Amino acid sequence: MSASPEIPRRLPRGTHGLDRDVVEASQRTRLLEAIGRAVAERGYAGATIDDVVRRAGVSKQTFYDQFADKQECFLAAYETASEELLERVREAHAGEGDWLERTRAGIAAYLRWLAADPALARVFLIEVAAAGPRALERRERLRDRYAELISERRENGAELPFEVFHAVVAAVDDVVVRHIREHGAEDLPELEPVLLYLQTALLTSSSSAGRASARRRS
């Protein structure tokens, strides 16, 4: 959710001559950052639009020019953060080495990104559940995209049902969420060997089961 060089985080005072699109993009970026911080501090239920606009340094009218309500703003922030994290994992998983090494790199990138901002890690992995059915639907779609990535990058072997890959992603989520609840997110990178074992064990054992099933059918 960071502002780019073309989209300043703070606008100059007075007459600045910036295009309207640049102004609106800057305001939107600040609102997305602000709702993440507000929810991190007060929880999704406790955070208000007043909290968001105060942190973003914009008016309520500006908020409503961008979003219909708090949920829409939160979902936009969730989508933006999710896209950034998924791209980090995708880039790490596309690196050098065999499937095991690339899987480890993807897990490490995932955990480091979350640990870099523990408050927002809690927001987007735990508080999302308080944002209603639409938020949970977005979470499931995001899990599908991670499952697709694992499926695409997996080494050749027995073909597995897509549900297996989705189950792997859900299991990883469960381990990470529990760790954040109990210990915080700062030391999440310590989970790397656990998540690597979980992912490789589930996929390799599922492959073996698939081959055994194919032999029984033949």
Side-chain angles (χ1 to χ4, degrees):
M1 292 184 291
S2 301
S4 71
E6 296 79 21
I7 303 175
R9 177 174 275 103
R10 293 294 173 188
L11 299 175
R13 292 182 180 276
T15 304
H16 45 62
L18 295 173
D19 289 344
R20 182 174 180 80
D21 289 347
V22 174
V23 173
E24 290 179 350
S26 174
Q27 292 169 338
R28 183 180 180 85
T29 297
R30 285 148 51 198
L31 285 166
L32 296 183
E33 292 175 344
I35 193 161
R37 298 300 172 189
V39 173
E41 181 178 322
R42 301 172 64 87
Y44 180 80
T48 66
I49 292 174
D50 284 337
D51 295 326
V52 175
V53 299
R54 184 173 61 252
R55 284 171 172 81
V58 302
S59 67
K60 267 192 174 181
Q61 182 58 52
T62 296
F63 177 92
Y64 286 112
D65 287 343
Q66 297 268 3
F67 304 105
D69 53 26
K70 180 179 76 171
Q71 184 185 59
E72 186 176 300
C73 184
F74 179 82
L75 292 179
Y78 178 77
E79 293 279 2
T80 300
S82 299
E83 287 292 336
E84 182 179 329
L85 178 53
L86 180 59
E87 186 57 30
R88 294 285 183 89
V89 174
R90 191 185 303 279
E91 290 174 357
H93 214 293
E96 300 295 328
D98 60 18
W99 176 73
L100 184 63
E101 291 168 331
R102 288 183 284 110
T103 298
R104 181 184 288 111
I107 291 171
Y110 178 75
L111 294 174
R112 285 198 302 269
W113 192 93
L114 294 172
D117 199 329
L120 291 187
R122 185 177 186 88
V123 167
F124 294 118
L125 286 178
I126 296 177
E127 288 296 330
V128 64
R134 287 177 62 199
L136 295 180
E137 289 172 9
R138 302 284 179 94
R139 186 184 68 180
E140 288 307 302
R141 290 205 297 269
L142 178 62
R143 285 179 173 179
D144 284 343
R145 295 180 67 191
Y146 276 102
E148 288 166 2
L149 175 62
I150 296 171
S151 175
E152 290 167 2
R153 300 286 171 84
R154 182 171 167 271
E155 290 179 336
N156 292 332
E159 187 172 340
L160 298 175
F162 182 74
E163 288 79 5
V164 172
F165 297 101
H166 190 280
V168 169
V169 174
V172 167
D173 260 6
D174 186 63
V175 172
V176 172
V177 165
R178 179 169 182 174
H179 186 92
I180 293 173
R181 287 187 186 278
E182 295 181 354
H183 307 291
E186 291 86 348
D187 60 350
L188 276 175
E190 295 178 5
L191 287 179
E192 180 187 323
V194 175
L195 299 188
L196 181 64
Y197 177 84
L198 175 64
Q199 186 165 318
T200 55
L202 286 175
L203 292 179
T204 55
S205 63
S206 295
S207 296
S208 300
R211 286 193 293 268
S213 177
R215 286 196 297 269
R216 286 195 299 269
R217 290 195 299 268
S218 62

